[in-house]
Amino acid sequence: MDIIINIFKNGIEFLYGFTGDIGIAIVLLTLVVKLILLPFSIKQRIAMKKQLVVNKKIEIIKDKYKNNKKKQEVELNKIYRENSKGLVGCLIPFLQLPVISGLYMSINRLKVETITMLIPWVANIGSIDNKFVVPLIYTLITVAPSIMSYLRIFGNNETPVTIKSILPMIIFGILVTVKAPVGIGIYFITSGLFNLIEDVGFRIYSKNKAFA
């Protein structure tokens, strides 16, 4: 892990020397890492879509053969065999974890104490945002994908979210950034925005696409 952390730390310092703004350097490195991981993230989303289709098939079979357990077991095993490869896609987040963790820790270990034009009211990136603008922005970005379930433009069949269902996300977003250094907040916001754009793009892509 230390090797990954040092690579990212050196990358941030290089970009800082190039841009002259540590906040922009963090944004650029975060975007580079997210772009590298994008193919894996898309595979994960496709795997999750396929898993939803499989789950629906399982429910249909359970209902259809609820009075014939033997036939039900045969049909369910058939589905499990046919879709066993697709389950590998669900493991992708674990493959990305060391990279994302390394990026986070490299930013957390930065010793640079300088202002950034992205958040000019904070003395340096090691300070917290006393105006709570960073926690607010990150929280809005965090809940945005859930809110999109209300938008018909994506043509999905998702159940619209409720305040109760997204409340844990709101609390998490506030807790994770309210006491975090601004440098970490910039990372979270950049990563969250990238994920949001990716989510919108994938929803549009998968709008009329069948995942079987």
Side-chain angles (χ1 to χ4, degrees), residues 45-59 90 158 211:
R45 290 179 183 275
I46 292 175
M48 292 174 65
K49 281 284 188 179
K50 289 182 176 180
Q51 188 59 44
L52 288 175
V53 174
V54 172
N55 291 342
K56 288 182 180 180
K57 290 181 179 179
I58 290 174
E59 290 301 318
C90 299
E158 297 179 13
F211 294 90

Side-chain angles (χ1 to χ4, degrees), residues 61-88:
I61 288 176
K62 285 183 177 180
D63 182 65
K64 183 177 181 180
Y65 299 106
K66 59 184 177 182
N67 297 321
N68 189 341
K69 296 298 181 182
K70 187 174 182 180
K71 179 66 174 178
Q72 182 186 100
E73 184 177 352
V74 171
E75 293 298 321
L76 288 177
N77 286 333
K78 187 185 299 183
I79 288 181
Y80 294 144
R81 286 194 300 271
E82 291 174 351
N83 297 277
S84 58
K85 292 182 179 179
L87 297 177
V88 177

Side-chain angles (χ1 to χ4, degrees), residues 27-44:
V27 169
L28 290 176
L29 185 62
T30 303
L31 290 176
V32 168
V33 173
K34 297 295 288 185
L35 284 170
I36 291 173
L37 295 176
L38 182 59
F40 301 99
S41 182
I42 292 175
K43 286 183 180 180
Q44 176 196 350

